[in-house]
Amino acid sequence: LMYMSPIATVILLVVSAIAEPTGIWDTIQLMRESTFFCWILVLNCVLAYCLNLLNFLVTRYTSALTLQVLGNGKGVVAAGVSIMIFQNPVTFMGMAGYVITIAGVVCYSATKKKTKGGGSHGVRSRSNTLNTQQQDQGSTSPLIHHSPGRKVSVGRDQKV
Protein backbone atom coordinates (compact mmCIF):
# COMPACT_ATOMS: atom_id res chain seq x y z
CA LEU A 1 0.00 0.00 0.00
CA MET A 2 2.85 2.33 0.86
CA TYR A 3 4.47 1.73 -2.54
CA MET A 4 1.26 1.72 -4.56
CA SER A 5 -0.39 4.92 -3.27
CA PRO A 6 2.05 7.57 -4.58
CA ILE A 7 2.18 5.98 -8.03
CA ALA A 8 -1.62 5.66 -8.17
CA THR A 9 -1.99 9.31 -7.15
CA VAL A 10 0.31 10.54 -9.91
CA ILE A 11 -1.36 8.36 -12.55
CA LEU A 12 -4.86 9.45 -11.47
CA LEU A 13 -3.90 13.14 -11.50
CA VAL A 14 -2.50 12.87 -15.03
CA VAL A 15 -5.48 10.90 -16.34
CA SER A 16 -8.01 13.20 -14.66
CA ALA A 17 -6.22 16.27 -16.06
CA ILE A 18 -6.48 14.79 -19.56
CA ALA A 19 -10.03 13.39 -19.27
CA GLU A 20 -11.48 16.35 -17.36
CA PRO A 21 -9.32 19.43 -17.95
CA THR A 22 -11.41 21.65 -15.64
CA GLY A 23 -12.07 18.93 -13.04
CA ILE A 24 -9.23 19.80 -10.68
CA TRP A 25 -10.05 23.53 -10.78
CA ASP A 26 -13.77 22.79 -10.31
CA THR A 27 -12.93 20.71 -7.24
CA ILE A 28 -10.78 23.48 -5.77
CA GLN A 29 -13.59 25.98 -6.39
CA LEU A 30 -16.14 23.70 -4.69
CA MET A 31 -13.81 23.29 -1.71
CA ARG A 32 -13.58 27.08 -1.34
CA GLU A 33 -17.36 27.48 -1.50
CA SER A 34 -18.53 24.66 0.74
CA THR A 35 -17.06 23.10 3.87
CA PHE A 36 -19.61 20.28 3.49
CA PHE A 37 -17.98 19.33 0.18
CA CYS A 38 -14.58 19.25 1.92
CA TRP A 39 -15.91 16.84 4.54
CA ILE A 40 -17.49 14.62 1.89
CA LEU A 41 -14.21 14.59 -0.05
CA VAL A 42 -12.20 13.71 3.08
CA LEU A 43 -14.70 10.97 4.01
CA ASN A 44 -14.45 9.56 0.49
CA CYS A 45 -10.64 9.49 0.74
CA VAL A 46 -10.70 7.79 4.14
CA LEU A 47 -13.17 5.15 2.94
CA ALA A 48 -11.10 4.49 -0.20
CA TYR A 49 -7.97 4.07 1.94
CA CYS A 50 -9.78 1.70 4.31
CA LEU A 51 -11.09 -0.35 1.37
CA ASN A 52 -7.57 -0.71 -0.07
CA LEU A 53 -6.18 -1.64 3.34
CA LEU A 54 -8.94 -4.20 3.83
CA ASN A 55 -8.23 -5.71 0.40
CA PHE A 56 -4.54 -6.10 1.26
CA LEU A 57 -5.35 -7.62 4.66
CA VAL A 58 -7.86 -10.09 3.19
CA THR A 59 -5.29 -11.13 0.60
CA ARG A 60 -2.58 -11.45 3.25
CA TYR A 61 -4.57 -13.60 5.65
CA THR A 62 -6.59 -15.63 3.15
CA SER A 63 -5.81 -15.68 -0.56
CA ALA A 64 -6.32 -13.76 -3.77
CA LEU A 65 -9.02 -16.27 -4.71
CA THR A 66 -10.95 -15.51 -1.53
CA LEU A 67 -10.69 -11.80 -2.29
CA GLN A 68 -12.08 -12.44 -5.78
CA VAL A 69 -14.99 -14.49 -4.41
CA LEU A 70 -15.76 -11.74 -1.89
CA GLY A 71 -15.72 -9.21 -4.72
CA ASN A 72 -18.26 -11.27 -6.66
CA GLY A 73 -20.47 -11.53 -3.59
CA LYS A 74 -20.16 -7.78 -3.06
CA GLY A 75 -21.33 -7.22 -6.63
CA VAL A 76 -24.46 -9.28 -6.04
CA VAL A 77 -25.20 -7.40 -2.81
CA ALA A 78 -24.71 -4.05 -4.56
CA ALA A 79 -27.03 -5.13 -7.37
CA GLY A 80 -29.64 -6.33 -4.85
CA VAL A 81 -29.53 -3.02 -2.97
CA SER A 82 -29.80 -1.15 -6.26
CA ILE A 83 -32.86 -3.22 -7.20
CA MET A 84 -34.52 -2.56 -3.84
CA ILE A 85 -33.78 1.17 -3.67
CA PHE A 86 -34.02 2.27 -7.30
CA GLN A 87 -36.47 -0.39 -8.53
CA ASN A 88 -34.14 -1.30 -11.39
CA PRO A 89 -35.63 -3.92 -13.73
CA VAL A 90 -33.97 -7.34 -13.70
CA THR A 91 -33.99 -9.68 -16.67
CA PHE A 92 -34.17 -13.44 -16.39
CA MET A 93 -30.52 -13.68 -17.47
CA GLY A 94 -29.51 -11.15 -14.83
CA MET A 95 -31.35 -13.04 -12.10
CA ALA A 96 -29.81 -16.32 -13.30
CA GLY A 97 -26.37 -14.69 -13.07
CA TYR A 98 -27.05 -13.54 -9.49
CA VAL A 99 -28.21 -17.03 -8.50
CA ILE A 100 -25.15 -18.68 -10.08
CA THR A 101 -22.86 -16.18 -8.34
CA ILE A 102 -24.48 -16.78 -4.95
CA ALA A 103 -24.25 -20.56 -5.49
CA GLY A 104 -20.55 -20.19 -6.33
CA VAL A 105 -19.89 -18.14 -3.19
CA VAL A 106 -21.75 -20.71 -1.05
CA CYS A 107 -19.85 -23.63 -2.65
CA TYR A 108 -16.51 -21.89 -2.17
CA SER A 109 -17.37 -21.16 1.46
CA ALA A 110 -18.40 -24.77 2.10
CA THR A 111 -15.25 -26.10 0.43
CA LYS A 112 -13.09 -23.69 2.41
CA LYS A 113 -14.69 -24.84 5.67
CA LYS A 114 -14.16 -28.53 4.79
CA THR A 115 -10.50 -28.07 3.94
CA LYS A 116 -9.92 -25.91 7.02
CA GLY A 117 -11.56 -28.43 9.34
CA GLY A 118 -9.80 -31.47 7.92
CA GLY A 119 -6.30 -30.07 7.59
CA SER A 120 -4.68 -28.01 4.90
CA HIS A 121 -4.87 -30.61 2.05
CA GLY A 122 -2.35 -28.74 -0.01
CA VAL A 123 -3.66 -25.28 0.81
CA ARG A 124 -0.85 -23.28 2.36
CA SER A 125 -1.83 -20.30 4.40
CA ARG A 126 0.64 -17.66 5.54
CA SER A 127 0.83 -19.18 9.04
CA ASN A 128 1.41 -22.70 7.66
CA THR A 129 4.21 -21.40 5.44
CA LEU A 130 5.86 -19.53 8.32
CA ASN A 131 5.59 -22.54 10.65
CA THR A 132 7.07 -24.84 7.98
CA GLN A 133 9.94 -22.41 7.41
CA GLN A 134 10.61 -22.23 11.14
CA GLN A 135 10.61 -26.03 11.38
CA ASP A 136 13.03 -26.28 8.45
CA GLN A 137 15.39 -23.83 10.16
CA GLY A 138 15.08 -25.55 13.53
CA SER A 139 13.54 -22.45 15.06
CA THR A 140 11.63 -22.71 18.29
CA SER A 141 8.51 -20.63 18.56
CA PRO A 142 5.78 -20.41 21.17
CA LEU A 143 3.45 -21.85 18.52
CA ILE A 144 5.67 -24.85 17.77
CA HIS A 145 6.19 -27.41 20.51
CA HIS A 146 8.98 -29.93 19.89
CA SER A 147 8.68 -33.26 21.64
CA PRO A 148 11.22 -36.04 21.11
CA GLY A 149 9.69 -39.00 19.29
CA ARG A 150 6.39 -37.21 18.68
CA LYS A 151 4.91 -35.21 15.86
CA VAL A 152 5.44 -31.47 15.96
CA SER A 153 2.30 -29.76 17.18
CA VAL A 154 1.42 -26.32 15.89
CA GLY A 155 -0.63 -24.09 18.17
CA ARG A 156 -3.11 -25.87 20.38
CA ASP A 157 -4.96 -28.40 18.24
CA GLN A 158 -3.19 -28.84 14.92
CA LYS A 159 -0.64 -31.57 14.19
CA VAL A 160 2.01 -31.32 11.49
Side-chain angles (χ1 to χ4, degrees):
L1 192 58
M2 180 175 59
Y3 299 113
M4 187 181 91
S5 296
I7 295 169
T9 302
V10 169
I11 291 172
L12 287 174
L13 282 174
V14 169
V15 170
S16 66
I18 293 169
E20 299 181 37
T22 62
I24 294 173
W25 304 116
D26 292 342
T27 303
I28 292 170
Q29 185 65 28
L30 282 170
M31 290 174 64
R32 288 181 183 158
E33 294 173 4
S34 172
T35 57
F36 179 72
F37 179 77
C38 291
W39 286 110
I40 294 296
L41 191 61
V42 168
L43 179 65
N44 184 32
C45 294
V46 168
L47 289 176
Y49 175 81
C50 290
L51 179 65
N52 280 335
L53 182 63
L54 184 65
N55 282 339
F56 281 107
L57 290 174
V58 167
T59 304
R60 178 180 180 184
Y61 290 108
T62 59
S63 69
L65 179 61
T66 300
L67 182 65
Q68 188 67 38
V69 171
L70 288 173
N72 291 337
K74 182 181 77 170
V76 171
V77 170
V81 169
S82 173
I83 291 167
M84 289 188 306
I85 292 175
F86 301 114
Q87 304 297 314
N88 292 340
V90 182
T91 64
F92 175 76
M93 289 296 284
M95 188 58 71
Y98 298 145
V99 169
I100 290 170
T101 302
I102 292 170
V105 170
V106 169
C107 288
Y108 177 79
S109 177
T111 303
K112 192 82 169 168
K113 284 181 183 176
K114 281 183 185 177
T115 58
K116 189 175 185 180
S120 64
H121 298 292
V123 177
R124 288 186 78 134
S125 68
R126 179 174 162 73
S127 60
N128 287 345
T129 303
L130 290 176
N131 289 336
T132 303
Q133 290 171 350
Q134 288 173 346
Q135 290 171 12
D136 292 343
Q137 296 169 357
S139 169
T140 57
S141 163
L143 294 176
I144 301 174
H145 308 285
H146 296 280
S147 301
R150 298 181 73 195
K151 289 186 176 182
V152 176
S153 63
V154 179
R156 294 183 188 158
D157 302 326
Q158 299 176 349
K159 297 278 186 202
V160 176

Short mmCIF file of all heavy atoms in Angstrom, two decimals, residues 61-86:
data_model
loop_
_atom_site.label_atom_id
_atom_site.label_comp_id
_atom_site.label_asym_id
_atom_site.label_seq_id
_atom_site.Cartn_x
_atom_site.Cartn_y
_atom_site.Cartn_z
N TYR A 61 -4.17 -12.56 4.71
CA TYR A 61 -4.57 -13.60 5.65
C TYR A 61 -5.39 -14.72 5.03
O TYR A 61 -5.61 -15.73 5.67
CB TYR A 61 -5.33 -12.98 6.82
CG TYR A 61 -4.41 -12.17 7.70
CD1 TYR A 61 -4.46 -10.79 7.72
CD2 TYR A 61 -3.44 -12.79 8.48
CE1 TYR A 61 -3.60 -10.05 8.50
CE2 TYR A 61 -2.57 -12.06 9.26
CZ TYR A 61 -2.66 -10.69 9.27
OH TYR A 61 -1.80 -9.96 10.03
N THR A 62 -5.86 -14.54 3.82
CA THR A 62 -6.59 -15.63 3.15
C THR A 62 -5.88 -15.93 1.85
O THR A 62 -4.85 -16.57 1.85
CB THR A 62 -8.07 -15.26 2.93
OG1 THR A 62 -8.16 -14.08 2.13
CG2 THR A 62 -8.79 -15.06 4.24
N SER A 63 -6.44 -15.49 0.74
CA SER A 63 -5.81 -15.68 -0.56
C SER A 63 -6.42 -14.72 -1.56
O SER A 63 -7.47 -14.12 -1.31
CB SER A 63 -6.01 -17.13 -1.04
OG SER A 63 -7.37 -17.35 -1.35
N ALA A 64 -5.78 -14.61 -2.71
CA ALA A 64 -6.32 -13.76 -3.77
C ALA A 64 -7.63 -14.32 -4.28
O ALA A 64 -8.54 -13.57 -4.67
CB ALA A 64 -5.31 -13.63 -4.89
N LEU A 65 -7.77 -15.64 -4.27
CA LEU A 65 -9.02 -16.27 -4.71
C LEU A 65 -10.17 -15.90 -3.78
O LEU A 65 -11.27 -15.57 -4.24
CB LEU A 65 -8.86 -17.78 -4.79
CG LEU A 65 -10.10 -18.56 -5.21
CD1 LEU A 65 -10.55 -18.14 -6.60
CD2 LEU A 65 -9.83 -20.05 -5.16
N THR A 66 -9.92 -15.91 -2.49
CA THR A 66 -10.95 -15.51 -1.53
C THR A 66 -11.35 -14.05 -1.75
O THR A 66 -12.54 -13.72 -1.70
CB THR A 66 -10.46 -15.71 -0.09
OG1 THR A 66 -10.14 -17.09 0.10
CG2 THR A 66 -11.50 -15.29 0.93
N LEU A 67 -10.39 -13.20 -2.01
CA LEU A 67 -10.69 -11.80 -2.29
C LEU A 67 -11.57 -11.67 -3.53
O LEU A 67 -12.51 -10.88 -3.56
CB LEU A 67 -9.40 -11.00 -2.47
CG LEU A 67 -9.57 -9.51 -2.71
CD1 LEU A 67 -10.19 -8.82 -1.50
CD2 LEU A 67 -8.24 -8.88 -3.04
N GLN A 68 -11.28 -12.46 -4.56
CA GLN A 68 -12.08 -12.44 -5.78
C GLN A 68 -13.51 -12.92 -5.52
O GLN A 68 -14.47 -12.33 -6.01
CB GLN A 68 -11.42 -13.31 -6.86
CG GLN A 68 -12.05 -13.19 -8.21
CD GLN A 68 -11.86 -11.82 -8.82
OE1 GLN A 68 -10.83 -11.20 -8.67
NE2 GLN A 68 -12.88 -11.33 -9.50
N VAL A 69 -13.65 -13.98 -4.74
CA VAL A 69 -14.99 -14.49 -4.41
C VAL A 69 -15.76 -13.45 -3.60
O VAL A 69 -16.96 -13.23 -3.83
CB VAL A 69 -14.88 -15.84 -3.65
CG1 VAL A 69 -16.22 -16.27 -3.10
CG2 VAL A 69 -14.31 -16.91 -4.57
N LEU A 70 -15.10 -12.81 -2.65
CA LEU A 70 -15.76 -11.74 -1.89
C LEU A 70 -16.19 -10.59 -2.79
O LEU A 70 -17.27 -10.01 -2.60
CB LEU A 70 -14.82 -11.22 -0.79
CG LEU A 70 -14.58 -12.14 0.39
CD1 LEU A 70 -13.51 -11.56 1.30
CD2 LEU A 70 -15.86 -12.36 1.16
N GLY A 71 -15.36 -10.26 -3.77
CA GLY A 71 -15.72 -9.21 -4.72
C GLY A 71 -16.96 -9.57 -5.53
O GLY A 71 -17.83 -8.73 -5.77
N ASN A 72 -17.07 -10.84 -5.94
CA ASN A 72 -18.26 -11.27 -6.66
C ASN A 72 -19.50 -11.21 -5.77
O ASN A 72 -20.57 -10.78 -6.22
CB ASN A 72 -18.07 -12.69 -7.19
CG ASN A 72 -17.03 -12.76 -8.29
OD1 ASN A 72 -16.76 -11.77 -8.96
ND2 ASN A 72 -16.44 -13.92 -8.47
N GLY A 73 -19.35 -11.63 -4.53
CA GLY A 73 -20.47 -11.53 -3.59
C GLY A 73 -20.88 -10.09 -3.34
O GLY A 73 -22.07 -9.76 -3.25
N LYS A 74 -19.88 -9.20 -3.25
CA LYS A 74 -20.16 -7.78 -3.06
C LYS A 74 -20.94 -7.22 -4.24
O LYS A 74 -21.85 -6.39 -4.08
CB LYS A 74 -18.85 -7.02 -2.87
CG LYS A 74 -19.02 -5.54 -2.62
CD LYS A 74 -17.69 -4.85 -2.46
CE LYS A 74 -17.06 -4.67 -3.81
NZ LYS A 74 -15.89 -3.82 -3.83
N GLY A 75 -20.61 -7.66 -5.44
CA GLY A 75 -21.33 -7.22 -6.63
C GLY A 75 -22.79 -7.62 -6.61
O GLY A 75 -23.67 -6.83 -6.98
N VAL A 76 -23.07 -8.82 -6.15
CA VAL A 76 -24.46 -9.28 -6.04
C VAL A 76 -25.21 -8.46 -4.99
O VAL A 76 -26.36 -8.06 -5.20
CB VAL A 76 -24.52 -10.79 -5.72
CG1 VAL A 76 -25.93 -11.23 -5.40
CG2 VAL A 76 -23.97 -11.59 -6.88
N VAL A 77 -24.57 -8.21 -3.86
CA VAL A 77 -25.20 -7.40 -2.81
C VAL A 77 -25.47 -5.99 -3.32
O VAL A 77 -26.56 -5.43 -3.10
CB VAL A 77 -24.33 -7.38 -1.53
CG1 VAL A 77 -24.85 -6.36 -0.53
CG2 VAL A 77 -24.28 -8.75 -0.90
N ALA A 78 -24.52 -5.39 -4.01
CA ALA A 78 -24.71 -4.05 -4.56
C ALA A 78 -25.85 -4.03 -5.57
O ALA A 78 -26.67 -3.10 -5.58
CB ALA A 78 -23.42 -3.56 -5.21
N ALA A 79 -25.94 -5.05 -6.41
CA ALA A 79 -27.03 -5.13 -7.37
C ALA A 79 -28.37 -5.30 -6.66
O ALA A 79 -29.37 -4.68 -7.04
CB ALA A 79 -26.79 -6.28 -8.34
N GLY A 80 -28.40 -6.13 -5.62
CA GLY A 80 -29.64 -6.33 -4.85
C GLY A 80 -30.10 -5.05 -4.18
O GLY A 80 -31.30 -4.72 -4.20
N VAL A 81 -29.18 -4.30 -3.60
CA VAL A 81 -29.53 -3.02 -2.97
C VAL A 81 -30.03 -2.04 -4.02
O VAL A 81 -31.01 -1.32 -3.80
CB VAL A 81 -28.32 -2.46 -2.18
CG1 VAL A 81 -28.56 -1.03 -1.76
CG2 VAL A 81 -28.01 -3.33 -0.98
N SER A 82 -29.38 -2.03 -5.17
CA SER A 82 -29.80 -1.15 -6.26
C SER A 82 -31.23 -1.51 -6.72
O SER A 82 -32.04 -0.61 -6.99
CB SER A 82 -28.82 -1.27 -7.42
OG SER A 82 -29.29 -0.58 -8.54
N ILE A 83 -31.52 -2.79 -6.80
CA ILE A 83 -32.86 -3.22 -7.20
C ILE A 83 -33.90 -2.78 -6.17
O ILE A 83 -34.97 -2.29 -6.53
CB ILE A 83 -32.88 -4.76 -7.41
CG1 ILE A 83 -32.06 -5.13 -8.64
CG2 ILE A 83 -34.31 -5.26 -7.53
CD1 ILE A 83 -31.76 -6.61 -8.74
N MET A 84 -33.56 -2.93 -4.89
CA MET A 84 -34.52 -2.56 -3.84
C MET A 84 -34.73 -1.05 -3.76
O MET A 84 -35.85 -0.59 -3.61
CB MET A 84 -34.05 -3.09 -2.48
CG MET A 84 -34.15 -4.60 -2.35
SD MET A 84 -33.82 -5.24 -0.70
CE MET A 84 -32.25 -4.55 -0.30
N ILE A 85 -33.66 -0.28 -3.85
CA ILE A 85 -33.78 1.17 -3.67
C ILE A 85 -34.30 1.85 -4.93
O ILE A 85 -35.23 2.66 -4.88
CB ILE A 85 -32.42 1.77 -3.25
CG1 ILE A 85 -32.07 1.29 -1.85
CG2 ILE A 85 -32.47 3.29 -3.29
CD1 ILE A 85 -30.69 1.73 -1.38
N PHE A 86 -33.71 1.54 -6.07
CA PHE A 86 -34.02 2.27 -7.30
C PHE A 86 -35.02 1.56 -8.19
O PHE A 86 -35.34 2.04 -9.28
CB PHE A 86 -32.73 2.54 -8.09
CG PHE A 86 -31.72 3.34 -7.31
CD1 PHE A 86 -30.51 2.78 -6.94
CD2 PHE A 86 -31.99 4.65 -6.93
CE1 PHE A 86 -29.58 3.50 -6.22
CE2 PHE A 86 -31.08 5.38 -6.21
CZ PHE A 86 -29.86 4.81 -5.84
#
